[in-house]
Amino acid sequence: MHVLICGGAGYIGSHMARFLVARSVSVTTLDNLSTGHREAVQGGELVEADLLDPASIERALGGRRFDAAMHFCARSLVGESVSQPYAYYANNVSGTLNLLEAMRRHGIGKLVFSSTAAVFGQPERERIDEDHPKAPINPYGASKLMVERILADASSAYGLRSVALRYFNAAGASDDACIGESHQPETHLIPNVLRAALGTGPALKVFGDDYPTPDGTCVRDYVHVDDLAQAHQLALDYMDRHDGAHAFNLGNGKGFSVREVIDAAKAATGREIRYEVAPRRPGDPAVLVASSEKARRELGWVPAHTDLAPIIESAWRWHQTQSY
Ligand code: UDP
C-alpha cells in the first residue's frame, strides 16, 4: 500500500504520515513547504511540488504508483480567509482541482480530503451532525464546501471514491513529542496559550468575551491530531467497501470555552497564562461542537484522547522542546 500525502509537511499531514509509516504503509509527501516543515517529514519521501503548478504535480506523480491520496494542503485561517478570499479560493479550490485532474490521469481512484467544521457556519443545534445545514460564514469554509461538492461530481463523472473528514479543532502533538503544531505566525488557540505559558509568545489575546456562551468566550471541540490520523486510516478501509463521496464529522462531542482552555493549560503547565480580552475575530462562530456518531458507527472510529487535559499535555510536552 502506497499513499500520497499532499501537505504531509504540515501539522496534521505530518502526524498522518508518521501514523501510516508506523503501521507499515509506504507514504510519499507532496508539499510546497510554504507553511510546512521539512523536518516534520519523518518517514517516506518528500517531493516538493505546488498544487497551483500542474507541471510540478505531474513530476511528483510520474513514475510512482499510488493506491490512494490524502489531501491536507490548504490555507486554513478563518480571519485571513475573510481578508484574502482570492488566495483561499485559488489555493483550496483551484489547487484541489489540479490535484484531482492529476489523480484522474494517473488512475488514483481514492481520496481522503481534509474538510472542516467551518462548512456548517452558524450552528443551529447543540451538536453538529452531518445533516446540519451547510452555510459557511467565511471564505475558508466556503472553499472547503466547494471541494466537497466537486468530490460528489467527481464520483458521478469519474467514479472517484472519496471521504471528506470535517475536523473540528485539531490539537495536541505526537505522544513522543517529536512533531507538533507550529505555524508562522501562530494563530491557533492552544499553541498561543502554551507560548504565553512558556514566555516565548506575547500575552494571549482572548478574541471576544461577549459571545452568547456560558462564560462569554467561544466554545470549540478539540480533537487530538493522532485521533484524526486514525480516522483517515479507517477512511481508507471504508473506501475499499464503499464507492461514492462520503463525509464525516470528527470531534469529541464536547465543547470547551477559551477560558476553559486557559484553565486546563494552567493545570497542565503549572504556570500562569498571561491574557487580555481583545475584540472578536471576524468569521468566528460562537460555538462549534461535533456529533461524530456517524464516524464511530460507520468508520469504527474510537478517539483515544477524549478530554482536554491529555490533549493539552501532549501539546505542552512538544512545545517545551521548541526554542522558537
Ligand atoms: N482564539 C483566541 N486567541 C487566540 C487564538 C484563538 O481567543 O490567540 C479563539 C478563537 O477566536 C476561537 C478559538 O480560540 O474562538 C479557537 O481558535 P483557533 O484559531 O485555534 O481555531 P478555529 O476555531 O479558528 O479553527
Side-chain angles (χ1 to χ4, degrees):
M1 172 88 155
H2 188 193
V3 178
L4 173 68
I5 304 196
C6 301
Y11 171 43
I12 305 173
S14 61
H15 285 78
M16 185 72 239
R18 270 177 54 118
F19 187 94
L20 289 178
V21 167
R23 286 154 186 82
S24 305
V25 175
S26 347
V27 301
T28 294
T29 286
L30 179 160
D31 205 294
N32 66 3
L33 298 179
S34 60
T35 55
H37 308 277
R38 192 179 291 280
E39 64 276 11
V41 180
Q42 298 187 357
E45 188 186 5
L46 168 65
V47 181
E48 285 183 58
D50 189 332
L51 295 190
L52 290 177
D53 173 7
S56 75
I57 307 175
E58 197 54 41
R59 282 195 297 278
L61 299 195
R64 298 176 175 87
R65 254 209 65 75
F66 294 102
D67 301 289
M70 294 183 175
H71 177 23
F72 298 91
C73 302
R75 288 187 172 232
S76 60
L77 304 178
V78 165
E80 189 183 68
S81 80
V82 175
S83 59
Q84 300 176 36
Y86 293 173
Y88 274 69
Y89 292 115
N91 205 84
N92 297 0
V93 182
S94 305
T96 301
L97 278 172
N98 290 338
L99 172 65
L100 291 172
E101 180 54 28
M103 287 174 61
R104 188 170 73 87
R105 276 200 311 277
H106 287 267
I108 306 172
K110 293 180 194 152
L111 176 72
V112 188
F113 171 64
S114 300
S115 190
T116 170
V119 300
F120 296 109
Q122 294 293 359
E124 292 179 6
R125 359 192 216 274
E126 212 170 289
R127 289 161 91 232
I128 300 176
D129 62 15
E130 287 75 6
D131 298 328
H132 186 284
K134 280 125 208 122
I137 58 169
N138 51 61
Y140 169 57
S143 71
K144 292 286 185 172
L145 188 59
M146 284 176 192
V147 173
E148 289 195 13
R149 170 61 203 250
I150 291 167
L151 293 178
D153 294 340
S155 155
S156 314
Y158 310 120
L160 179 73
R161 295 184 177 207
S162 67
V163 172
L165 296 177
R166 300 181 185 130
Y167 316 147
F168 280 61
N169 284 64
S174 68
D175 283 338
D176 59 7
C178 278
I179 49 174
E181 182 172 13
S182 169
H183 301 102
Q184 207 44 265
E186 188 53 74
T187 64
H188 291 103
L189 178 64
I190 291 178
N192 280 345
V193 168
L194 296 178
R195 286 183 183 195
L198 276 170
T200 51
L204 178 78
K205 284 191 164 47
V206 173
F207 296 134
D209 67 349
D210 56 352
Y211 283 97
T213 61
D215 68 19
T217 64
C218 285
V219 169
R220 295 287 182 274
D221 180 339
Y222 296 90
V223 53
H224 195 277
V225 62
D226 280 337
D227 287 328
L228 294 180
Q230 185 210 347
H232 285 70
Q233 193 186 27
L234 293 167
L236 288 180
D237 300 342
Y238 187 84
M239 288 187 292
D240 287 339
R241 306 189 301 272
H242 301 269
D243 58 12
H246 305 271
F248 297 91
N249 295 354
L250 298 180
N252 276 308
K254 270 185 274 182
F256 295 94
S257 71
V258 174
R259 283 192 204 281
E260 286 173 319
V261 170
I262 295 171
D263 289 343
K266 267 189 207 160
T269 63
R271 301 194 184 193
E272 273 310 305
I273 315 281
R274 292 166 301 119
Y275 72 89
E276 59 200 45
V277 175
R280 289 182 179 196
R281 193 172 64 174
D284 270 346
V287 179
L288 281 175
V289 180
S291 161
S292 295
E293 293 315 311
K294 183 180 171 197
R296 288 168 185 269
R297 194 176 59 242
E298 293 189 25
L299 296 180
W301 185 53
V302 185
H305 310 75
T306 54
D307 208 354
L308 191 55
I311 293 176
I312 293 186
E313 283 158 14
S314 77
W316 176 235
R317 282 193 296 278
W318 181 78
H319 274 272
Q320 286 172 289
T321 68
Q322 298 300 295
S323 50
Y324 298 104

